Amino acid sequence: QVHLVESGGGLVQAGDSLRLSCATSGSFSNFAVGWFRQHPGKERDFVAGISWSGERTLFGDSVKGRFTISRDDAENTVYLQMNNLKPEDTATYYCAQRTGRYVVDIIDLYTYWGQGTQVTVSS
């Protein structure tokens, strides 16, 4: 069983930055990894994803130009760098892994999920 653990969330002010980390009990090698977020009472939305090689990335429209995603397979960790945070970025952020190599923004194609980390951005 694969276990994903997110970390790095917290309370920040608008305009600040945070870096989220996602660590796996297994290995991210050869698998695409994504980040999703969920606002209270809302569906879980795609934020960013990275392909198995790191060559391809995808971003949700609301975070393009502010967030970046990277991976360090030697450390079995994927990072989400969030810059210029806005109050509307407040949500629980989840890391997820596919069993395939290619990054997609379709939630149902992600198999393994972490428990989430809370990000709160004050205005």
Side-chain angles (χ1 to χ4, degrees), residues 5 7-8 20 27 43 52-53 66 69 87-89 91 102 104 121:
V5 178
S7 61
L20 304 183
S27 173
E43 293 184 350
W52 70 282
S53 65
R66 298 188 298 123
I69 186 170
E88 50 264 42
D89 294 318
Y102 302 107
V104 297
V121 184

Side-chain angles (χ1 to χ4, degrees), residues 14-91:
D16 286 351
S17 298
L18 273 178
R19 188 177 78 161
L20 304 183
S21 299
C22 174
T24 178
S25 62
S27 173
F28 281 139
S29 296
N30 296 313
F31 302 118
V33 179
W35 285 94
F36 293 76
R37 68 186 182 188
Q38 189 166 20
H39 300 94
K42 303 291 186 180
E43 293 184 350
R44 200 169 293 188
D45 294 326
F46 177 79
V47 175
I50 189 165
S51 67
W52 70 282
S53 65
E55 291 183 353
R56 179 165 170 78
T57 57
L58 283 179
F59 296 93
D61 288 341
S62 62
V63 305
K64 284 180 181 176
R66 298 188 298 123
F67 291 12
T68 59
I69 186 170
S70 60
R71 60 190 298 152
D72 184 341
D73 288 347
E75 296 293 329
N76 289 319
T77 303
V78 172
Y79 302 99
L80 182 68
Q81 178 67 42
M82 307 186 295
N83 298 326
N84 189 23
L85 283 161
K86 304 177 180 181
E88 50 264 42
D89 294 318
T90 296

